[in-house]
Amino acid sequence: MHKFNPAHIERLLGGGRLKEVKPRQLLLEAGLRRGRVFIDIGCGPGFFTLPASRIIGAKGMAYAVDTEPLMLAELKKRNPPSNIKYVVSRESSVPLPDSTADFLLLVHVLHEAEDRYAFLMELKRLMKPGAKLLVVDWKKRREEHGPPICDRITLKELMALLKETGFKGITSKPFNNNPSHYRVIARK
């Protein structure tokens, strides 16, 4: 199973990625609001965590979760606001209480999961009733960049897996006219 190499962290911070992805816009369009509890699974150096922390404001809480401590260390170097908490996790075991999140984000992480069912069940455990899950991942297509095609999951497979793990209100939308990615929103 392909895992992102932290030695290539600069790929996650490049200005071109910011123009292509527009993290603040994506989060607002998906419904993230002031005062919410936000969890960024596989947060890396904070590409989404930092804009989310500004959206939710001082009364909100953002949990930056990653299996790689180096990623969290990089986020801490970026002058983060005080409403961010850092959590080192294992893939299908996040050391946070049940029903913590109003909004859970999963960007370019699901394709790395060894056991996708167990992983999604753990994420669901972290969500409050009615909480929102936003998934952005790679389409299953051959490309020069991104994970190997054998590790990617099709949109149809993701939708079926979300349904199988008990998520509701599952919808998909194109991702910023990007032919490489899809985005899906589901609720607990």
Side-chain angles (χ1 to χ4, degrees):
M1 191 63 57
H2 170 267
K3 302 282 187 192
F4 184 82
N5 184 347
H8 302 294
I9 201 166
E10 72 282 350
R11 293 182 190 168
L12 301 177
L13 298 170
R17 185 174 187 224
L18 187 61
K19 289 178 187 173
E20 181 181 299
V21 176
K22 301 175 185 162
R24 178 178 170 77
Q25 178 183 335
L26 177 71
L27 294 168
L28 288 169
E29 285 177 5
L32 185 61
R33 300 289 179 256
R34 185 164 298 286
R36 302 293 181 177
V37 178
F38 171 84
I39 299 178
D40 187 356
I41 300 290
C43 66
F47 187 79
F48 289 95
T49 308
L50 290 169
S53 70
R54 292 181 197 101
I55 292 168
I56 62 175
K59 292 186 179 180
M61 179 59 65
Y63 290 94
V65 179
D66 210 295
T67 59
E68 180 53 64
L70 291 173
M71 293 293 192
L72 296 173
E74 188 64 35
L75 171 54
K76 289 176 185 178
K77 291 180 191 175
R78 299 182 68 210
N79 194 27
S82 61
N83 67 343
I84 297 177
K85 301 274 188 222
Y86 308 92
V87 180
V88 177
S89 73
R90 292 192 313 258
E91 182 173 290
S92 293
S93 178
V94 180
L96 289 172
D98 294 357
S99 301
T100 297
D102 297 301
F103 191 110
L104 196 141
L105 180 68
L106 191 63
V107 176
H108 298 154
V109 175
L110 187 60
H111 70 270
E112 293 186 3
E114 299 275 339
D115 182 342
R116 292 174 179 152
Y117 182 90
F119 182 60
L120 286 172
M121 290 302 290
E122 174 65 358
L123 301 186
K124 190 172 150 192
R125 179 192 69 77
L126 297 172
M127 298 169 68
K128 295 176 183 175
K132 191 174 284 187
L133 169 67
L134 172 59
V135 180
V136 175
D137 220 313
W138 295 88
K139 290 182 180 175
K140 193 162 187 137
R141 53 186 279 170
R142 293 192 190 284
E143 298 180 283
E144 292 180 22
H145 56 284
I149 192 167
C150 61
D151 290 341
R152 297 180 185 208
I153 182 172
T154 68
L155 177 58
K156 184 177 179 181
E157 289 168 329
L158 172 60
M159 302 286 268
L161 187 56
L162 288 168
K163 187 174 181 181
E164 183 182 343
T165 52
F167 284 92
K168 311 269 186 249
I170 305 164
T171 59
S172 68
K173 285 178 70 175
F175 180 71
N176 295 347
N177 298 318
N178 184 322
S180 297
H181 306 100
Y182 54 75
R183 71 174 151 173
V184 173
I185 293 177
R187 291 193 178 271
K188 178 175 178 180

